[in-house]
Amino acid sequence: MTIYYVNSATGSDRNSGTGENSAFATLSKVESLTLKPGDSVLLAKGSVFNEQFDIKYSGTESAPIKIGSYGTGAAPVIHSGDDGIHSLYASNIVIENLKISNSGGAAIYGGNVSNWTVRHVEVDKAGSSAEAGSVTFRNSKNITVADSKIAGVNSDGIWIEKVDGIKLLNNTVTNSHGARADAVQVNDSSNILIQGNHLDQTQADSSKGVIALVRATNAVVEDNTLTGGGFGISAPAGKNVAIRDNDISGFHGYDWSFAVGLGDQGNSRDYDIAGNHIHDGAWGVVVTAPVDGTSYVRSGIKVHDNVFDDLTQSALKVDRPASGSFYNNTIESGVKAYSISPAVADAHTFSVSNNHTVANVETALATTATTAAATTDAVADQAVVAVHDNLKIITDTGEAHRGNLLENDSSDSGTLLLRRFGNESVGKHGLTLTGEYGVIHVDRDGSYAYTLDETKLPADHDGHVSETFHYGVNDGTSQHSDGDTMTVFIHMDGLLS
């Protein structure tokens, strides 16, 4: 197992490459080697490489080949007129702690590969010469993309096609541009987990949406914050799809815009849409189909225990033959509960029951959070349970907006402490962080004060923006802990004069 070092500033391709003081200078020199299982290629922080990096050899499951970084300073950067990192048929690869910027094609492209992990990678403005997904995998197996940041790409932020075994975990994708661009698109794939991501298309020039999940089998989309776009989640065909506990907002711009849509590109069977907060958009959940006479099966669709508010259209729309149920949802007054075509209503195949209308959805959210914490504690026997928090800013006087992150969290011991916020430790004097749209101070007891900076809001004063902070809590012993997110929703309609 050999570690190879590459330093664009001080290295030389005449060196051995096996020490920091004898580093190579170029990625092409690494490509000339026969990498073996367990080998690592480390790029010096602060280095810039103006070339595509081709990965040709495979590791093993117990000894993957790793591409990473070393030293201090900014992450090493790969620029390329083609792809940033490119590979065909290589397996058992880990890529971490790098930045890929201004690539002509994809930032990372893997075709016919297996057992890849991409983590802590930053992608900026990829796809400048083509509409290629910035992180792209095709015809592959067991792909994980985690804890990475993708911004301003001219393409889908993440593009997955014909892959069995996908995990997209805790990534941030912001403003994927292009007429056909979504933050995430997954086509014809199976065994999918999309969890804990913050996906924001608020300022994208795309006419599409946030997640496109097309013809998926065995998929779970949960605990994500999805903002902006023409739609939140388009899951037009698939089987055994769970969409749960997401916060979906800002989907508007078209009369068809929806939070969750299905049924228009193939058979849709066994969908469970539950526990989502759907707000600030047009339609809620839409079960539909093209008007060209194509006949698809839409069956086993359950829409339940969601919260709907601030929608210009109804919470549920069913305008094509379908079987399922709409029950136990909470709907803010002023939002129409459902729109079901007469033909579907007369067929009695889509039942509606036990939905609730409330005047103030924030109260309902607090109740839902408390119930969720109690349920999780009973089922999983967790000593500490953290539950997602929301701060909605509709008007602003310049004063701090205050609350407490721990009010809806729980601990068996009765003690809860905020230990981490925004990936920083919370000290005895608290922590102050500068976010995208304001400054927040948090203390160990969970109290927070968020001060909006109106100078950071987009020039267009209409619509909505949001930002999300991750946090971690424990019971004072560090033996039991949990984490979740806080999302700040800023309604700009009338906020600025």
Side-chain angles (χ1 to χ4, degrees):
M1 298 181 180
T2 305
I3 300 175
Y4 296 99
Y5 298 86
V6 193
N7 190 317
S8 65
T10 64
S12 169
D13 287 350
R14 293 187 297 272
N15 289 337
S16 66
T18 55
E20 293 185 27
N21 295 325
S22 58
F24 295 137
T26 67
L27 301 176
S28 58
K29 177 61 178 179
V30 177
E31 292 174 15
S32 70
L33 305 174
T34 302
L35 296 178
K36 296 180 173 59
D39 286 353
S40 295
V41 178
L42 302 183
L43 313 184
K45 291 186 175 180
S47 288
V48 177
F49 301 94
N50 295 305
E51 53 185 318
Q52 176 175 295
F53 187 17
D54 287 313
I55 299 176
K56 304 174 182 177
Y57 299 98
S58 297
T60 63
E61 290 191 35
S62 60
I65 291 173
K66 295 184 178 181
I67 313 299
S69 62
Y70 72 97
T72 59
V77 179
I78 297 176
H79 294 296
S80 172
D82 298 310
D83 296 337
I85 294 175
H86 183 94
S87 185
L88 296 173
Y89 302 105
S91 298
N92 302 298
I93 304 294
V94 175
I95 299 174
E96 58 189 357
N97 303 319
L98 307 174
K99 180 175 181 178
I100 303 171
S101 178
N102 293 293
S103 61
I108 299 173
Y109 180 92
N112 295 284
V113 301
S114 63
N115 300 328
W116 274 54
T117 297
V118 176
R119 61 193 178 208
H120 299 292
V121 170
E122 181 179 355
V123 176
D124 182 55
K125 298 181 179 64
S128 58
S129 67
E131 290 189 356
S134 68
V135 175
T136 300
F137 289 94
R138 289 188 168 98
N139 303 307
S140 298
K141 185 175 181 180
N142 296 337
I143 303 298
T144 297
V145 182
D147 300 300
S148 294
K149 295 182 178 181
I150 300 169
V153 299
N154 183 35
S155 55
D156 295 279
I158 298 174
W159 173 276
I160 305 287
E161 183 176 37
K162 297 181 180 178
V163 173
D164 179 21
I166 301 163
K167 292 181 180 179
L168 306 180
L169 309 175
N170 304 316
N171 302 289
T172 299
V173 182
T174 307
N175 298 333
S176 300
H177 299 296
R180 297 184 292 174
D182 303 301
V184 172
Q185 177 144 355
V186 178
N187 290 352
D188 301 300
S189 297
S190 57
N191 300 310
I192 302 158
L193 176 61
I194 302 175
Q195 182 184 72
N197 303 281
H198 183 195
L199 311 177
D200 190 342
Q201 287 287 81
T202 303
Q203 301 300 317
D205 62 12
S206 171
S207 60
K208 294 188 69 186
V210 183
I211 295 178
L213 188 64
V214 184
R215 294 177 296 275
T217 301
N218 299 330
V220 175
V221 182
E222 66 181 2
D223 295 321
N224 303 283
T225 300
L226 313 178
T227 309
F231 57 79
I233 302 173
S234 176
K239 182 178 181 180
N240 194 21
V241 176
I243 298 172
R244 62 198 184 205
D245 301 324
N246 303 284
D247 196 294
I248 309 173
S249 67
F251 46 95
H252 45 62
Y254 308 96
D255 58 5
W256 51 262
S257 291
F258 54 79
V260 179
L262 58 108
D264 66 338
Q265 291 188 25
N267 296 332
S268 302
R269 293 185 171 95
D270 300 326
Y271 280 56
D272 188 67
I273 302 169
N276 303 285
H277 182 199
I278 294 173
H279 57 114
D280 304 334
W283 300 92
V285 177
V286 175
V287 183
T288 189
V291 295
D292 60 6
T294 304
S295 178
Y296 297 133
V297 174
R298 290 169 288 272
S299 64
I301 299 163
K302 296 188 294 183
V303 183
H304 62 100
D305 298 289
N306 303 283
V307 176
F308 299 90
D309 69 286
D310 198 9
L311 303 180
T312 60
Q313 305 296 332
S314 64
L316 172 71
K317 178 183 180 180
V318 183
D319 64 0
R320 295 293 186 274
S323 67
S325 52
F326 182 69
Y327 62 96
N328 290 348
N329 298 285
T330 300
I331 304 162
E332 192 170 65
S333 58
V335 175
K336 184 178 179 181
Y338 57 88
S339 174
I340 298 178
S341 72
V344 176
D346 290 344
H348 302 291
T349 57
F350 213 102
S351 64
V352 176
S353 63
N354 298 323
N355 298 294
H356 312 283
T357 299
V358 298
N360 187 336
V361 80
E362 295 301 326
T363 302
L365 282 172
T367 302
T368 301
T370 302
T371 302
T375 301
T376 302
D377 191 52
V379 174
D381 194 28
Q382 289 182 277
V384 173
V385 176
V387 179
H388 179 77
D389 291 82
N390 293 296
L391 169 63
K392 183 183 288 187
I393 299 176
I394 300 175
T395 59
D396 187 61
T397 63
E399 299 290 329
H401 300 265
R402 301 181 183 275
N404 193 295
L405 293 166
L406 307 185
E407 284 184 346
N408 58 350
D409 298 347
S410 62
S411 168
D412 281 352
S413 68
T415 301
L416 273 174
L417 294 176
L418 181 65
R419 288 301 192 184
R420 298 190 65 80
F421 189 85
N423 295 322
E424 299 285 341
S425 295
V426 180
K428 64 180 181 179
H429 300 299
L431 172 70
T432 301
L433 286 180
T434 299
E436 190 171 359
Y437 302 112
V439 176
I440 188 167
H441 179 85
V442 297
D443 288 304
R444 282 185 175 176
D445 65 0
S447 60
Y448 68 82
Y450 181 94
T451 304
L452 180 66
D453 184 350
E454 292 186 358
T455 64
K456 292 186 176 182
L457 296 178
D460 182 357
H461 295 171
D462 294 324
H464 319 275
V465 295
S466 69
E467 60 179 316
T468 295
F469 302 92
H470 292 268
Y471 73 90
V473 298
N474 68 27
D475 60 358
T477 68
S478 298
Q479 296 180 9
H480 303 289
S481 62
D482 198 10
D484 215 295
T485 56
M486 171 191 179
T487 302
V488 180
F489 298 99
I490 303 164
H491 297 238
M492 294 189 296
D493 301 312
L495 184 63
L496 303 178
S497 58

